[in-house]
Short mmCIF file of all heavy atoms in Angstrom, two decimals:
data_model
loop_
_atom_site.label_atom_id
_atom_site.label_comp_id
_atom_site.label_asym_id
_atom_site.label_seq_id
_atom_site.Cartn_x
_atom_site.Cartn_y
_atom_site.Cartn_z
N ASP A 94 -31.10 -34.23 54.03
CA ASP A 94 -31.22 -33.48 55.28
C ASP A 94 -30.32 -32.25 55.26
O ASP A 94 -30.74 -31.15 55.68
CB ASP A 94 -30.85 -34.39 56.49
CG ASP A 94 -31.96 -35.37 56.81
OD1 ASP A 94 -33.09 -35.19 56.31
OD2 ASP A 94 -31.69 -36.32 57.56
N ASP A 95 -29.08 -32.43 54.78
CA ASP A 95 -28.17 -31.27 54.68
C ASP A 95 -28.79 -30.19 53.81
O ASP A 95 -28.76 -29.01 54.15
CB ASP A 95 -26.85 -31.68 53.99
CG ASP A 95 -26.01 -32.63 54.82
OD1 ASP A 95 -26.18 -32.65 56.04
OD2 ASP A 95 -25.19 -33.35 54.20
N ILE A 96 -29.28 -30.63 52.65
CA ILE A 96 -29.80 -29.67 51.67
C ILE A 96 -31.02 -28.96 52.24
O ILE A 96 -31.20 -27.75 52.08
CB ILE A 96 -30.12 -30.39 50.34
CG1 ILE A 96 -28.81 -30.93 49.73
CG2 ILE A 96 -30.83 -29.47 49.37
CD1 ILE A 96 -29.00 -31.94 48.61
N GLN A 97 -31.87 -29.71 52.93
CA GLN A 97 -33.07 -29.12 53.53
C GLN A 97 -32.69 -28.09 54.59
O GLN A 97 -33.28 -27.01 54.65
CB GLN A 97 -33.95 -30.22 54.14
CG GLN A 97 -34.67 -31.03 53.08
CD GLN A 97 -35.11 -32.41 53.58
OE1 GLN A 97 -35.12 -33.34 52.80
NE2 GLN A 97 -35.45 -32.51 54.86
N SER A 98 -31.71 -28.43 55.44
CA SER A 98 -31.38 -27.45 56.49
C SER A 98 -30.63 -26.25 55.92
O SER A 98 -30.80 -25.13 56.39
CB SER A 98 -30.59 -28.11 57.63
OG SER A 98 -29.43 -28.69 57.13
N ARG A 99 -29.88 -26.47 54.84
CA ARG A 99 -29.15 -25.36 54.23
C ARG A 99 -30.08 -24.41 53.49
O ARG A 99 -29.84 -23.21 53.41
CB ARG A 99 -28.13 -25.94 53.24
CG ARG A 99 -26.89 -25.11 53.07
CD ARG A 99 -25.82 -25.88 52.31
NE ARG A 99 -25.35 -27.06 53.02
CZ ARG A 99 -24.54 -27.98 52.50
NH1 ARG A 99 -24.15 -27.89 51.25
NH2 ARG A 99 -24.15 -29.02 53.22
N THR A 100 -31.14 -24.95 52.92
CA THR A 100 -32.00 -24.11 52.06
C THR A 100 -33.34 -23.77 52.70
O THR A 100 -34.08 -22.92 52.17
CB THR A 100 -32.29 -24.84 50.73
OG1 THR A 100 -33.00 -26.06 51.01
CG2 THR A 100 -31.02 -25.16 49.97
N GLY A 101 -33.68 -24.46 53.80
CA GLY A 101 -34.95 -24.19 54.46
C GLY A 101 -36.16 -24.82 53.75
O GLY A 101 -37.30 -24.50 54.07
N VAL A 102 -35.88 -25.71 52.80
CA VAL A 102 -36.97 -26.39 52.08
C VAL A 102 -37.28 -27.70 52.80
O VAL A 102 -36.35 -28.44 53.16
CB VAL A 102 -36.55 -26.69 50.62
CG1 VAL A 102 -37.63 -27.46 49.89
CG2 VAL A 102 -36.22 -25.40 49.89
N ASN A 103 -38.55 -28.01 53.03
CA ASN A 103 -38.85 -29.27 53.70
C ASN A 103 -38.84 -30.43 52.70
O ASN A 103 -38.82 -30.24 51.49
CB ASN A 103 -40.10 -29.19 54.56
CG ASN A 103 -41.39 -29.23 53.76
OD1 ASN A 103 -41.45 -29.73 52.63
ND2 ASN A 103 -42.45 -28.68 54.36
N SER A 104 -38.85 -31.65 53.22
CA SER A 104 -38.66 -32.82 52.36
C SER A 104 -39.81 -33.01 51.37
O SER A 104 -39.58 -33.46 50.24
CB SER A 104 -38.47 -34.09 53.20
OG SER A 104 -39.66 -34.37 53.90
N THR A 105 -41.02 -32.64 51.77
CA THR A 105 -42.15 -32.78 50.86
C THR A 105 -41.93 -31.93 49.61
O THR A 105 -42.05 -32.42 48.48
CB THR A 105 -43.46 -32.31 51.54
OG1 THR A 105 -43.57 -32.93 52.81
CG2 THR A 105 -44.67 -32.63 50.70
N ILE A 106 -41.62 -30.67 49.82
CA ILE A 106 -41.44 -29.74 48.69
C ILE A 106 -40.19 -30.11 47.89
O ILE A 106 -40.21 -30.07 46.65
CB ILE A 106 -41.35 -28.28 49.21
CG1 ILE A 106 -42.58 -27.89 50.04
CG2 ILE A 106 -41.16 -27.31 48.03
CD1 ILE A 106 -43.87 -27.81 49.28
N LEU A 107 -39.14 -30.52 48.59
CA LEU A 107 -37.91 -30.90 47.88
C LEU A 107 -38.17 -32.06 46.93
O LEU A 107 -37.74 -32.03 45.77
CB LEU A 107 -36.80 -31.26 48.88
CG LEU A 107 -35.43 -31.59 48.25
CD1 LEU A 107 -34.80 -30.34 47.62
CD2 LEU A 107 -34.49 -32.19 49.28
N HIS A 108 -38.91 -33.06 47.40
CA HIS A 108 -39.21 -34.21 46.54
C HIS A 108 -40.20 -33.87 45.43
O HIS A 108 -40.09 -34.37 44.32
CB HIS A 108 -39.73 -35.40 47.37
CG HIS A 108 -38.62 -36.21 48.00
ND1 HIS A 108 -38.07 -35.87 49.21
CD2 HIS A 108 -37.97 -37.30 47.56
CE1 HIS A 108 -37.09 -36.75 49.49
NE2 HIS A 108 -37.02 -37.63 48.52
N LEU A 109 -41.17 -33.01 45.72
CA LEU A 109 -42.13 -32.62 44.67
C LEU A 109 -41.45 -31.82 43.56
O LEU A 109 -41.77 -31.94 42.38
CB LEU A 109 -43.28 -31.82 45.27
CG LEU A 109 -44.30 -32.64 46.09
CD1 LEU A 109 -45.28 -31.72 46.81
CD2 LEU A 109 -45.03 -33.64 45.20
N ASN A 110 -40.49 -30.99 43.94
CA ASN A 110 -39.79 -30.19 42.93
C ASN A 110 -38.70 -30.99 42.21
O ASN A 110 -38.24 -30.58 41.15
CB ASN A 110 -39.18 -28.95 43.57
CG ASN A 110 -40.16 -27.78 43.61
OD1 ASN A 110 -40.99 -27.61 42.70
ND2 ASN A 110 -40.07 -26.98 44.66
N ASN A 111 -38.27 -32.10 42.83
CA ASN A 111 -37.19 -32.92 42.25
C ASN A 111 -37.62 -34.39 42.32
O ASN A 111 -37.06 -35.18 43.07
CB ASN A 111 -35.89 -32.69 43.04
CG ASN A 111 -35.50 -31.22 43.10
OD1 ASN A 111 -34.91 -30.70 42.16
ND2 ASN A 111 -35.85 -30.56 44.19
N PRO A 112 -38.63 -34.75 41.52
CA PRO A 112 -39.23 -36.09 41.67
C PRO A 112 -38.28 -37.25 41.32
O PRO A 112 -38.64 -38.39 41.59
CB PRO A 112 -40.43 -36.05 40.72
CG PRO A 112 -40.34 -34.80 39.96
CD PRO A 112 -39.31 -33.91 40.55
N GLN A 113 -37.12 -36.94 40.76
CA GLN A 113 -36.17 -38.02 40.47
C GLN A 113 -35.45 -38.50 41.73
O GLN A 113 -34.80 -39.56 41.71
CB GLN A 113 -35.15 -37.56 39.42
CG GLN A 113 -34.01 -36.65 39.92
CD GLN A 113 -34.40 -35.17 40.00
OE1 GLN A 113 -35.57 -34.82 40.06
NE2 GLN A 113 -33.40 -34.29 40.03
N ILE A 114 -35.53 -37.74 42.82
CA ILE A 114 -34.88 -38.15 44.07
C ILE A 114 -35.70 -39.27 44.69
O ILE A 114 -36.92 -39.15 44.85
CB ILE A 114 -34.76 -36.97 45.07
CG1 ILE A 114 -33.97 -35.81 44.46
CG2 ILE A 114 -34.12 -37.45 46.36
CD1 ILE A 114 -33.89 -34.60 45.40
N ASN A 115 -35.04 -40.39 45.03
CA ASN A 115 -35.79 -41.47 45.64
C ASN A 115 -36.14 -41.15 47.10
O ASN A 115 -35.62 -40.19 47.67
CB ASN A 115 -35.05 -42.82 45.50
CG ASN A 115 -33.70 -42.83 46.20
OD1 ASN A 115 -33.43 -42.03 47.08
ND2 ASN A 115 -32.84 -43.76 45.78
N GLU A 116 -37.01 -41.95 47.65
CA GLU A 116 -37.55 -41.65 48.99
C GLU A 116 -36.46 -41.55 50.04
O GLU A 116 -36.48 -40.68 50.91
CB GLU A 116 -38.57 -42.73 49.38
CG GLU A 116 -39.53 -42.30 50.45
CD GLU A 116 -40.53 -43.40 50.82
OE1 GLU A 116 -40.73 -44.32 49.99
OE2 GLU A 116 -41.09 -43.34 51.91
N GLU A 117 -35.46 -42.44 49.95
CA GLU A 117 -34.38 -42.47 50.93
C GLU A 117 -33.29 -41.45 50.60
O GLU A 117 -32.33 -41.30 51.35
CB GLU A 117 -33.74 -43.86 50.99
CG GLU A 117 -34.73 -45.01 51.18
CD GLU A 117 -35.51 -45.37 49.90
OE1 GLU A 117 -35.00 -45.07 48.79
OE2 GLU A 117 -36.61 -45.92 50.02
N CYS A 118 -33.43 -40.81 49.45
CA CYS A 118 -32.44 -39.80 49.01
C CYS A 118 -31.04 -40.40 48.85
O CYS A 118 -30.05 -39.78 49.20
CB CYS A 118 -32.41 -38.61 49.96
SG CYS A 118 -31.51 -37.21 49.26
N THR A 119 -30.97 -41.62 48.34
CA THR A 119 -29.66 -42.25 48.14
C THR A 119 -29.15 -42.08 46.71
O THR A 119 -28.07 -42.56 46.39
CB THR A 119 -29.75 -43.76 48.45
OG1 THR A 119 -30.82 -44.33 47.68
CG2 THR A 119 -29.97 -44.01 49.92
N ASN A 120 -29.94 -41.42 45.87
CA ASN A 120 -29.52 -41.35 44.45
C ASN A 120 -29.13 -39.97 43.98
O ASN A 120 -28.98 -39.74 42.78
CB ASN A 120 -30.62 -41.93 43.55
CG ASN A 120 -31.90 -41.11 43.57
OD1 ASN A 120 -32.10 -40.31 44.49
ND2 ASN A 120 -32.74 -41.28 42.59
N ILE A 121 -28.95 -39.02 44.89
CA ILE A 121 -28.47 -37.71 44.41
C ILE A 121 -26.99 -37.84 44.07
O ILE A 121 -26.25 -38.62 44.68
CB ILE A 121 -28.72 -36.58 45.44
CG1 ILE A 121 -28.09 -36.88 46.80
CG2 ILE A 121 -30.21 -36.29 45.56
CD1 ILE A 121 -28.13 -35.68 47.77
N TYR A 122 -26.55 -37.07 43.07
CA TYR A 122 -25.16 -37.18 42.62
C TYR A 122 -24.49 -35.81 42.56
O TYR A 122 -25.17 -34.77 42.46
CB TYR A 122 -25.08 -37.90 41.26
CG TYR A 122 -25.79 -37.22 40.12
CD1 TYR A 122 -25.15 -36.22 39.36
CD2 TYR A 122 -27.11 -37.53 39.78
CE1 TYR A 122 -25.78 -35.59 38.31
CE2 TYR A 122 -27.75 -36.90 38.73
CZ TYR A 122 -27.08 -35.93 37.99
OH TYR A 122 -27.73 -35.31 36.95
N ILE A 123 -23.18 -35.83 42.63
CA ILE A 123 -22.40 -34.59 42.64
C ILE A 123 -22.64 -33.82 41.34
O ILE A 123 -22.53 -34.38 40.25
CB ILE A 123 -20.89 -34.92 42.82
CG1 ILE A 123 -20.65 -35.59 44.18
CG2 ILE A 123 -20.05 -33.66 42.68
CD1 ILE A 123 -19.29 -36.26 44.31
N GLY A 124 -22.97 -32.56 41.50
CA GLY A 124 -23.21 -31.71 40.33
C GLY A 124 -24.67 -31.69 39.89
O GLY A 124 -25.02 -30.88 39.03
N GLU A 125 -25.49 -32.54 40.46
CA GLU A 125 -26.92 -32.51 40.15
C GLU A 125 -27.48 -31.17 40.62
O GLU A 125 -27.10 -30.67 41.67
CB GLU A 125 -27.64 -33.67 40.84
CG GLU A 125 -29.10 -33.80 40.51
CD GLU A 125 -29.72 -35.09 41.08
OE1 GLU A 125 -29.03 -35.79 41.85
OE2 GLU A 125 -30.88 -35.38 40.74
N VAL A 126 -28.38 -30.60 39.84
CA VAL A 126 -28.91 -29.29 40.18
C VAL A 126 -30.36 -29.46 40.64
O VAL A 126 -31.20 -29.97 39.89
CB VAL A 126 -28.82 -28.31 39.00
CG1 VAL A 126 -29.31 -26.92 39.38
CG2 VAL A 126 -27.39 -28.25 38.46
N LEU A 127 -30.62 -29.08 41.88
CA LEU A 127 -31.94 -29.29 42.46
C LEU A 127 -32.70 -27.96 42.56
O LEU A 127 -32.09 -26.92 42.81
CB LEU A 127 -31.80 -29.89 43.86
CG LEU A 127 -31.03 -31.22 43.95
CD1 LEU A 127 -30.96 -31.69 45.39
CD2 LEU A 127 -31.66 -32.28 43.04
N CYS A 128 -34.00 -28.03 42.37
CA CYS A 128 -34.85 -26.88 42.62
C CYS A 128 -35.08 -26.81 44.13
O CYS A 128 -35.53 -27.77 44.74
CB CYS A 128 -36.20 -27.02 41.90
SG CYS A 128 -37.43 -25.80 42.44
N VAL A 129 -34.74 -25.68 44.73
CA VAL A 129 -34.95 -25.51 46.17
C VAL A 129 -35.92 -24.36 46.44
O VAL A 129 -35.83 -23.66 47.44
CB VAL A 129 -33.62 -25.32 46.94
CG1 VAL A 129 -32.81 -26.61 46.90
CG2 VAL A 129 -32.78 -24.17 46.36
N GLY A 130 -36.87 -24.18 45.51
CA GLY A 130 -37.94 -23.23 45.74
C GLY A 130 -38.79 -23.67 46.93
O GLY A 130 -38.88 -24.86 47.23
N GLN A 131 -39.41 -22.71 47.59
CA GLN A 131 -40.19 -23.01 48.79
C GLN A 131 -41.61 -23.48 48.48
O GLN A 131 -42.36 -23.84 49.39
CB GLN A 131 -40.26 -21.77 49.70
CG GLN A 131 -38.91 -21.19 50.09
CD GLN A 131 -38.19 -22.02 51.15
OE1 GLN A 131 -38.81 -22.78 51.88
NE2 GLN A 131 -36.87 -21.88 51.22
N THR A 132 -41.98 -23.42 47.20
CA THR A 132 -43.28 -23.94 46.79
C THR A 132 -43.04 -24.87 45.60
O THR A 132 -41.94 -24.91 45.06
CB THR A 132 -44.21 -22.78 46.32
OG1 THR A 132 -43.54 -22.06 45.27
CG2 THR A 132 -44.52 -21.82 47.45
N VAL A 133 -44.07 -25.61 45.22
CA VAL A 133 -43.92 -26.48 44.05
C VAL A 133 -43.96 -25.63 42.80
O VAL A 133 -44.92 -24.91 42.55
CB VAL A 133 -45.03 -27.56 44.02
CG1 VAL A 133 -44.89 -28.45 42.79
CG2 VAL A 133 -45.00 -28.39 45.29
N GLN A 134 -42.87 -25.69 42.03
CA GLN A 134 -42.72 -24.73 40.91
C GLN A 134 -42.44 -25.41 39.58
O GLN A 134 -42.46 -24.74 38.55
CB GLN A 134 -41.57 -23.77 41.23
CG GLN A 134 -41.80 -22.96 42.49
CD GLN A 134 -40.60 -22.12 42.89
OE1 GLN A 134 -39.52 -22.26 42.35
NE2 GLN A 134 -40.80 -21.24 43.87
N VAL A 135 -42.11 -26.68 39.58
CA VAL A 135 -41.65 -27.30 38.33
C VAL A 135 -42.79 -27.92 37.54
O VAL A 135 -43.86 -28.18 38.09
CB VAL A 135 -40.56 -28.37 38.63
CG1 VAL A 135 -39.36 -27.74 39.30
CG2 VAL A 135 -41.13 -29.50 39.47
N PRO A 136 -42.55 -28.15 36.25
CA PRO A 136 -43.59 -28.79 35.42
C PRO A 136 -43.77 -30.26 35.82
O PRO A 136 -42.84 -30.87 36.34
CB PRO A 136 -43.06 -28.67 33.99
CG PRO A 136 -41.59 -28.46 34.12
CD PRO A 136 -41.35 -27.79 35.45
N PRO A 137 -44.96 -30.81 35.56
CA PRO A 137 -45.18 -32.23 35.83
C PRO A 137 -44.36 -33.09 34.87
O PRO A 137 -43.99 -32.64 33.79
CB PRO A 137 -46.67 -32.41 35.60
CG PRO A 137 -47.08 -31.28 34.73
CD PRO A 137 -46.14 -30.15 35.02
#
Side-chain angles (χ1 to χ4, degrees):
D94 284 346
D95 293 336
I96 295 166
Q97 287 158 213
S98 58
R99 209 169 296 171
T100 62
V102 177
N103 76 25
S104 66
T105 310
I106 303 293
L107 184 68
H108 277 86
L109 286 172
N110 273 326
N111 304 279
Q113 78 276 21
I114 302 178
N115 62 21
E116 200 180 339
E117 308 77 24
C118 193
T119 53
N120 65 342
I121 56 171
Y122 62 86
I123 297 165
E125 184 172 8
V126 184
L127 303 179
C128 168
V129 292
Q131 304 286 337
T132 56
V133 179
Q134 300 173 350
V135 298

